[in-house]
Amino acid sequence: MAKPSENLIELCRAAIEAERTATSEPYTQEGWAAWMEAAKTFQRAVVEEAKQEPKQSRLELEQAAKKAVLYPE
């Protein structure tokens, strides 16, 4: 199973919080900009972290980070 770094988990947490904030109000491009930027930052970090280990699945790493944020033990 993939083990995301603390940095990746924090970036995921930031993206999820930005999504919650953006979707709690009527849509505006400016209102969603922070969410889109946080999501891009998280995705870039997932790709970079997955590259660190050749057999690391990007998808599994992303899912593990989201699980750690959305369903903490």
Side-chain angles (χ1 to χ4, degrees), residues 8 38-48 58 62 66:
L8 194 61
K40 286 179 191 177
T41 300
F42 171 62
Q43 288 300 319
R44 281 189 222 112
V46 168
V47 170
E48 289 304 312
R58 187 203 60 78
E62 179 180 348
K66 288 180 178 180

Side-chain angles (χ1 to χ4, degrees), residues 3 12 15 25 35 44-45 48 52 54 60 62 70-71:
K3 176 101 169 99
C12 181
E25 301 171 1
W35 173 23
R44 281 189 222 112
E48 289 304 312
Q52 300 299 318
E60 288 178 8
E62 179 180 348
L70 295 172
Y71 307 103

Side-chain angles (χ1 to χ4, degrees), residues 49-65:
E49 195 164 310
K51 286 180 184 178
Q52 300 299 318
E53 188 151 335
K55 295 186 181 191
Q56 179 73 30
S57 165
R58 187 203 60 78
L59 178 60
E60 288 178 8
L61 187 61
E62 179 180 348
Q63 289 174 337

